[in-house]
Amino acid sequence: MTDIIDDLEWRGLLAQTTGLEELRKALADGPVTLYCGFDPTAGSLHVGHLMQALTLARFQLAGHRPVALVGGGTGLIGDPKPNAERSLNDPETIKGWVETIGRQLSAFLRFTPAGEAPQPTDAVLANNAEWLGAMSAIELLRDVGKHFSINQMLARETVKTRLDGAGMSYTEFSYVLLQAYDYVELYRRYGCTLQVGGSDQWGNITAGLELIRRMDGNEPHGPAHCLTTELLTKSDGTKFGKTESGTVWLDPALTSPYAFYQYWFNASDSDVIRYLKVFSFRSREEIEELERRTAERPAARAAQRALAEEMTVLLHGEEECQKVIAASRALFGQGELAELDSATLEAALTEAPHTEVAAPAHELPPVVDLLAQAGLVPSKSAGRRAIQEGGAYLNNTKVTDVEARPGEADLLHGRFLVLRRGKRNVGGVIVT
């Protein structure tokens, strides 16, 4: 089997473990069943969840069995935030989110295909609503709560922060009991002996280890373990997974495949190699070669291109990735705009500087006006100069007349115009 611990260390993923050598031995003696939890706090996972989903996938490729736990029960409560109480969502909303997240996880993990016999490393999709929803308040307090020290719970960093500020409800205060009990149930049901998560989950995860010891005496599967990964931030200090337009979601209805591709392609040189290690399944040799090429010719963006293509294929498939690449090339005059489908073209123009105009009763505004409205030039006079100097394009055709006005026949799919100033400044018009 692949030494997964060495691989995680090289990729900069390994933050904390309980007994590294014991864990390494258990994995070598494997296969080990491990799990990670995903609470449904929104209608989709986002790129911040990818590190954990892909960590499960790495263990699966190394010969172990992952359990993806979707928190249909814990999602009704919510892991306490450090600054404010979470808003509680209604059960039907949570149920829908659980189903969506389960489908999204299938992009990264191999579950048993319908009609096929399960393989030893096939992933398991579990929902903690199954056991938490069946537990009475008396059972929770008597069987689980008695194993928790209030002193230790009050010493937790999030609890201390909240108590020093806006306070915390008993609902959120008790979340650790639920997550810890998840580990007990998965230990009993699947022989799960490893939980992985972000380093901010260390307290919740170790509480589960202690609960297994107290409730089951570490029998019959032996001691459980935990492993956390480093929290990822951008080199400039901004939050990973955020753009000017907001969160980067895995749902294509919330973040288009084009925008998803561009997020990775726009990674800075100071971040991209780290992202390749954390998110890519490329080998050490391949990543080191991309690092060398980036250092020698950063303008070629070889590492960014490799990362963007791999991530987009992984989530959205090869066909969508090729559409995105074709759109990227066509916008800059290196392909046929007419060959792009409407959805991909709209997504591309939405990500670029653009203007929206109402469907014209008679005619569209002049190109000069549209260049200014889209933000490609600071003023109409600058737009005229761009045309006079030969640097303005409409649908990749050079505009030579400062009075030029697009016609209905110029509208791609009846709705779109692609504008360009020079070689690299692309924008568009979307007719509403």
Side-chain angles (χ1 to χ4, degrees):
M1 286 186 185
T2 302
D3 191 325
I4 183 68
I5 296 296
D6 287 347
D7 186 54
L8 294 178
E9 285 183 325
W10 175 75
R11 292 179 183 275
L13 283 166
L14 195 60
Q16 304 152 295
T17 66
T18 47
L20 180 58
E21 292 311 312
E22 291 83 353
L23 175 58
R24 193 187 293 272
K25 182 179 185 305
L27 292 167
D29 294 341
V32 164
T33 298
L34 68 150
Y35 93 97
C36 182
F38 302 87
D39 268 356
T41 56
S44 170
L45 297 175
H46 52 72
V47 294
H49 294 105
L50 278 177
M51 182 185 290
Q52 300 312 323
L54 297 179
T55 297
L56 286 182
R58 294 185 199 284
F59 274 97
Q60 186 173 40
L61 290 172
H64 306 286
R65 180 174 67 153
V67 177
L69 178 67
V70 184
T74 45
L76 292 168
I77 302 300
D79 194 9
K81 296 192 295 184
N83 50 5
E85 190 86 4
R86 285 187 183 274
S87 298
L88 299 182
N89 295 292
D90 67 83
E92 282 304 309
T93 298
I94 293 293
K95 183 178 178 182
W97 291 352
V98 165
E99 293 172 357
T100 299
I101 290 171
R103 289 194 299 270
Q104 289 177 339
L105 289 169
S106 66
F108 315 109
L109 301 171
R110 184 194 188 276
F111 295 93
T112 305
E116 293 188 16
Q119 300 301 309
T121 60
D122 281 355
V124 175
L125 183 65
N127 181 351
N128 60 21
E130 183 178 342
W131 52 84
L132 295 179
M135 180 179 286
S136 71
I138 294 297
E139 288 173 320
L140 177 67
L141 295 173
R142 178 182 172 86
D143 299 337
V144 179
K146 69 178 181 179
H147 297 296
F148 284 79
S149 160
I150 288 292
N151 292 345
Q152 291 179 343
M153 292 173 71
L154 288 172
R156 294 162 64 84
E157 198 59 41
T158 299
V159 175
K160 288 195 296 183
T161 300
R162 288 280 294 276
L163 292 182
D164 289 340
M168 174 181 281
S169 70
Y170 179 76
T171 299
E172 287 196 338
F173 182 65
S174 63
Y175 180 90
V176 63
L177 276 69
L178 305 180
Q179 183 169 328
Y181 186 70
D182 284 343
Y183 203 168
V184 173
E185 276 290 332
L186 295 175
Y187 182 87
R188 293 171 176 174
R189 292 176 181 230
Y190 303 108
C192 183
T193 55
L194 173 62
Q195 183 181 358
V196 300
S199 58
D200 58 336
Q201 291 294 309
W202 178 255
N204 287 336
I205 297 175
T206 53
L209 297 182
E210 180 63 13
L211 192 59
I212 290 171
R213 187 187 68 79
R214 287 175 174 269
M215 293 186 75
D216 290 7
N218 290 338
E219 295 293 340
H221 307 296
H225 305 272
C226 75
L227 180 153
T228 63
T229 57
E230 297 284 1
L231 297 180
L232 192 62
T233 57
K234 290 185 179 180
S235 57
D236 63 5
T238 58
K239 189 172 183 180
F240 172 78
K242 295 283 188 178
T243 66
E244 290 183 4
S245 57
T247 301
V248 180
W249 301 98
L250 305 192
D251 186 339
L254 300 175
T255 298
S256 70
Y258 183 90
F260 186 80
Y261 179 98
Q262 292 299 324
Y263 175 77
W264 301 104
F265 186 77
N266 290 329
S268 68
D269 291 344
S270 56
D271 285 324
V272 67
I273 301 303
R274 190 160 48 107
Y275 290 175
L276 278 165
K277 290 179 179 180
V278 169
F279 297 106
S280 169
F281 288 94
R282 290 172 183 264
S283 68
R284 182 169 185 167
E285 291 74 22
E286 289 174 306
I287 292 174
E288 288 176 346
E289 171 61 16
L290 286 167
E291 185 173 20
R292 182 190 65 77
R293 290 166 61 186
T294 298
E296 291 177 354
R297 293 186 60 210
R301 302 188 74 74
Q304 285 89 342
R305 196 179 311 279
L307 175 65
E309 290 184 12
E310 181 174 350
M311 298 308 300
T312 306
V313 169
L314 181 64
L315 181 62
H316 297 298
E318 180 68 36
E319 183 179 350
E320 283 296 331
C321 184
Q322 290 307 314
K323 287 181 182 179
V324 167
I325 293 170
S328 299
R329 290 176 56 82
L331 289 182
F332 294 98
Q334 299 170 352
E336 291 296 327
L337 288 169
E339 295 178 1
L340 303 181
D341 66 85
S342 177
T344 303
L345 181 56
E346 181 172 14
L349 293 183
T350 300
E351 290 301 305
H354 67 279
T355 183
E356 296 184 1
V357 300
H362 300 290
E363 54 187 14
L364 289 159
V367 172
V368 165
D369 292 36
L370 295 174
L371 286 168
Q373 290 172 24
L376 293 179
V377 293
S379 64
K380 292 182 184 180
S381 59
R384 291 189 187 93
R385 285 197 300 274
I387 293 173
Q388 291 166 346
E389 294 167 0
Y393 296 81
L394 172 66
N395 293 346
N396 287 339
T397 298
K398 184 179 291 187
V399 180
T400 57
D401 182 359
V402 293
E403 303 298 330
R405 185 188 296 266
E408 190 174 335
D410 293 312
L411 291 172
L412 301 165
H413 298 287
R415 291 188 58 214
F416 310 110
L417 297 171
V418 175
L419 303 173
R420 179 156 48 91
R421 180 175 62 82
K423 291 183 177 181
R424 304 303 303 170
N425 297 300
V426 172
V429 178
I430 301 175
V431 176
T432 58

